[in-house]
Amino acid sequence: MTIHFLLNGKKTTLDVSPDRRAVDVLREDCGLTGTKEGCGAGECGACTILVDGVSRLSCLMLAAQLAGREITTIEGVSNEDRLHPLQDAFIQHGAVQCGFCTPGMILSAASLLNLNPQPTRADIRAGLSGNLCRCTGYQKIIDAVEATARRGEETK
Amino acid sequence: MNPYIPEIGKPVPRADADAKARGAEKYAVDHYGENLVWAGVRRSGVAHGRIRLIDAAAALQLPGVIAVLTGRDVPGTNRQGIVHKDQPVLAADKVRHCGDAVALVLAEDRATLQKALSLINVEIDPLPGVFTVGEALHPGAPLVHEDHPQGNILLQAEIRAGDGQSALAGCDILLEETFHVPVQSHAFIETENGVAWQEEDGKVVLVVSTQAPFRDKWEISHALGLPLDRLRIIGPYLGGAFGGKDGATVQCFLVLAALHAGGRRVKMWWDREESFIAGYKRHAVRMDYRLGARADGTLQALHCRLYYDTGAYAHLGGEVMALGMEHAGGPYRIPHTLIEGWCVYTNNPIAGAMRGFGVAQVSFAFEGMMDLLAGKLGMDPLELRRKNALRRGDRNTAGVTMTQSTGIGDCLAAVQQHPLWQGRKAWKRGAGPFRKRGVGVAAVFNAMGYGRGLPDSALAKVELTTEGRICVYSGVSDMGQGNSTAFVQIAGQILCQEHTAIELVQPDTERTLPSGSAAASRTTYTYGNALIKACEELRRRLTGRAALMLLSDTLDDLELLPGRVRNLASGREIPLTALAAMMTPEDRICISQFLMPVVRDKLDTGKEFVIGFPHLLFSYAAHLVCIEVDELTGAIAVKAYLAATEAGRVINPQSFEQQVQGAIAQGIGYALSEEVLLKEGRIVNPDFATYIIPGTMDIPEMVSLAVEAYEPSGPYGMKGVGEVGMNGPLPAIAGALADACGINITRSPLTAERVLTTLQKQPETT
């Protein structure tokens, strides 16, 4: 089937088999390998993307479910010169180790900050509880999201 | 970010963070290719049996199936294994665990691959299996490897010091206890995978998620009978590994598949369940301890028996046990020891390397014994540890003289002075109704490097490129531990170049040089030492060649600066681009080798260990944990965590904290929830819904103190910090549980169910 959707701000048309998973279409057909897969069962959050600004697991979505939506992957939150504030904070605060959970973690955090621009550390932990990281112990990730929220507050 | 010179000792952001945060970094799993072939393997599903039939006729008739290969199609020895070559690529006659591969399928797409795998008719006549160490050691037990001369015993060994166990008789206090730890899974988020293809000249290129690209090349060559010069291995950044990608996973399958794919790229990517079933694991261990002490708490004698379940194949089982035995007495002075070990084949999944390699297990036992002793004597558990802590100049419990930095005493002192320890009594009183609070401590250590008998070597290569930039060719993988960033700092420090002018090449057997595996807390230490020498040589060359261009009659006036060399006397400068243009390619490259020093003590023990015993260098840590126990459910919540770590000097405080915090989190998982559950060798919880690794809500705020000591043999005084933090959480939490509720649980993990059951058995004391 043919699907039309907005992918990282660009109108996109794909001819795909409707039973393929969104994560495979994004990675294989669109070449957006920043979206990772860690479990294929909705348990680790590595495949998180934003669908109409809200975090969703692309390993649990079928390609057909992309149709008509505004999809943001990690590649869509920054451009060559300018990083998303969360990306910048992840780098500065040491929230990236192996980095395999990082794209999903950043997109979940972006979704969280959209809903709650001034979260407490407990709110951040709850908001990221669907994303597993095996390297960091999460503390520096929480630091990065907290710092981003504060920065957002200061620039208001 | 503005350019800066990455220097030693600064919290320099990681060299790989930008690309990873953008989603731009290409891990092995991000490599695909035009006209891609998908490969997968059929697993035995039977823990022990003889293969009667593998019939692929139905699979081969399926449109889109390119080939089905079995053990008969493997051209070489069909045997892999790091130390013992006992593991078939594709089992041909017999299967020894449920994850053994029996057939390899190449297909046009993933759906066809899955269908074809299910269409292969595999008939296996089951054999009686052995699923515990006890069963495997029973006289007349079924043999996992009929041709192994010691039956099911992969390795039996002992370490003896002083008067051995006979000294227990003269001790004022004698304590005995048995501890059990389960199988743990690495649970890295990027599962095992790779892509391979054959080039026109016959060479096979493999891009793979691996901790040991150079060893992979030798293993593939041996197993598949391919000459070394027909193999090229490329090892990009890994999405986690922790020991689980140290050894063959997809490598031989992919190279074999590439030989049958007519030049097309072949991809294999294990799903999470396959990663659980076929991937390596941390050894389950039974540990019988007897500890003797004087009435004043001075440790006198230790006897322990350790039983490591190594599963179906050797992998690094013997070496894991050796390290566990070397650490079995803890970071303490115990003059008389007998430490016996059995590493035993079973029909369980393969156990191998995992962060805290054999040591995470014994840490539970030796620290459990220390808590029991403190309880028996009515002594402060931290004081008891300080009293017995190893100092430089002592012999450790393997009889090795501690000649290098030995900071466990300072780590314990740092914990003792911390508000979390000083204020623990008041904090414990604040528990609400039906809750109990407790504080536990643990003193742990972890050896660095391969140990005696195997050269722990790295070959560093650094180049001034024609663009005037510095390129470091790393031969040792970065699985997330951050060694690459340390290499950039070393180059930046010595060559005074900005971070934007320093490039890193990740392991590639055609561009970088053999530097060992990313293992044993060794990567920054060993490669870093080699890189220092290579960078210093390059610095001498650059100023030396600049002298010719700047007409300087002495090198003393020449200073290497970002992008240029300046003659300080004349003020004249030459850009590095111009210098590079003058130099020949070989003149622009410096290569240097470093070999880790080894123990020089002559030891009359541990003779069964061919490699990997003993070790010269150790990192140390003292951990403190505050927990709250829900008396109604038995659930333990970790409320605060403190780690004081001595790993020499810190060359990057941010990377150091990352390693400490990450290890604590894995250790908390090991302590509270992680257990691979086995039923007759079959894993019953092969997914993240039933095998629970910690999430954001399970890990508390952590405080990491660096208790720095200068290690003279280390690059800028550092030692490896990757593993030591893994060893503390389980014993510290067990100690905190005893402190909170007065119960000693000697079988981990400390699940709510286990805690509640034990609480209910406890006699009413209130």
Side-chain angles (χ1 to χ4, degrees), chain B residues 10-306:
Chain B
K10 300 242 172 83
V12 173
R14 288 171 65 125
D16 48 348
D18 186 273
K20 288 176 175 177
R22 289 175 187 268
E25 187 61 53
K26 294 280 179 215
Y27 299 81
V29 80
D30 299 326
H31 291 257
Y32 291 86
E34 292 297 315
N35 202 16
L36 190 68
V37 174
W38 286 83
V41 291
R42 172 70 181 263
R43 305 277 168 194
S44 75
V46 172
H48 198 200
R50 294 216 169 272
I51 299 171
R52 182 154 38 84
L53 174 76
I54 302 173
D55 177 5
L60 282 166
Q61 278 172 14
L62 190 69
V65 172
I66 297 161
V68 178
L69 306 170
T70 68
R72 316 271 170 237
D73 302 309
V74 178
T77 61
N78 193 17
R79 285 292 177 279
Q80 45 193 354
I82 297 169
V83 180
H84 303 267
K85 300 282 182 203
D86 65 354
Q87 183 179 354
V89 179
L90 288 166
D93 305 310
K94 187 178 154 172
V95 296
R96 298 180 180 84
H97 76 121
C98 292
D100 260 336
V102 295
L104 171 65
V105 176
L106 282 71
E108 294 289 343
D109 58 72
R110 285 207 260 192
T112 308
L113 173 64
Q114 289 312 316
K115 181 132 194 232
L117 287 170
S118 70
L119 284 175
I120 299 170
N121 181 25
V122 179
E123 291 179 19
I124 296 172
D125 293 328
L127 291 167
V130 285
F131 302 107
T132 64
V133 167
E135 286 171 20
L137 291 178
H138 200 271
L143 294 175
V144 181
H145 296 268
E146 288 83 357
D147 54 352
H148 185 66
Q150 287 80 41
N152 285 332
I153 300 176
L154 168 62
L155 179 64
Q156 180 176 358
E158 69 168 49
I159 294 172
R160 186 188 288 270
D163 300 334
Q165 88 278 29
S166 62
L168 285 166
C171 293
D172 299 337
I173 296 162
L174 180 60
L175 295 167
E176 262 187 74
E177 190 54 85
T178 293
F179 301 83
H180 296 264
V181 285
V183 175
Q184 187 183 21
S185 169
H186 304 77
F188 31 74
I189 311 292
E190 182 199 26
T191 51
E192 297 86 344
N193 76 89
V195 171
W197 65 92
Q198 187 164 28
E199 303 201 314
E200 278 178 12
D201 62 0
K203 181 176 284 187
V204 180
V205 183
L206 171 66
V207 181
V208 59
S209 191
T210 182
Q211 290 174 241
F214 287 89
R215 195 212 296 126
D216 287 348
K217 185 166 151 167
W218 305 324
E219 282 226 59
I220 297 163
S221 167
H222 182 270
L224 303 185
L226 285 177
L228 287 168
D229 62 4
R230 277 187 63 195
L231 290 164
R232 175 181 182 183
I233 316 296
I234 297 171
Y237 284 107
L238 293 89
F242 316 110
K245 294 171 184 169
D246 188 7
T249 59
V250 298
Q251 290 87 334
C252 287
F253 298 133
L254 276 169
V255 172
L256 181 59
L259 296 173
H260 290 82
R264 294 170 68 183
R265 287 187 178 223
V266 188
K267 185 174 179 78
M268 178 181 279
W269 184 2
W270 295 0
D271 66 16
R272 179 58 57 187
E273 184 177 355
E274 188 170 23
S275 174
F276 267 100
I277 290 169
Y280 303 108
K281 303 282 178 298
R282 183 191 300 286
H283 289 74
V285 190
R286 174 195 159 118
M287 302 170 282
D288 298 336
Y289 268 63
R290 290 196 297 155
L291 178 68
R294 282 200 201 121
D296 68 355
T298 306
L299 301 179
Q300 284 293 98
L302 172 73
H303 177 210
C304 43
R305 291 190 159 144
L306 310 175

Side-chain angles (χ1 to χ4, degrees), chain B residues 366-420:
Chain B
F366 66 70
E367 285 302 88
M369 295 308 286
M370 291 301 277
D371 282 337
L372 287 176
L373 180 60
K376 180 93 178 174
L377 295 169
M379 252 182 105
D380 175 317
L382 220 160
E383 268 311 322
L384 177 68
R385 287 170 168 87
R386 283 193 73 178
K387 181 184 179 78
N388 291 287
L390 274 176
R391 294 164 308 210
R392 193 166 164 209
D394 290 338
R395 282 184 190 274
N396 69 11
T397 62
V400 177
T401 310
M402 299 282 89
T403 58
Q404 311 300 116
S405 50
T406 309
I408 186 59
D410 294 336
C411 293
L412 286 162
V415 166
Q416 198 166 35
Q417 286 152 21
H418 195 273
L420 284 172

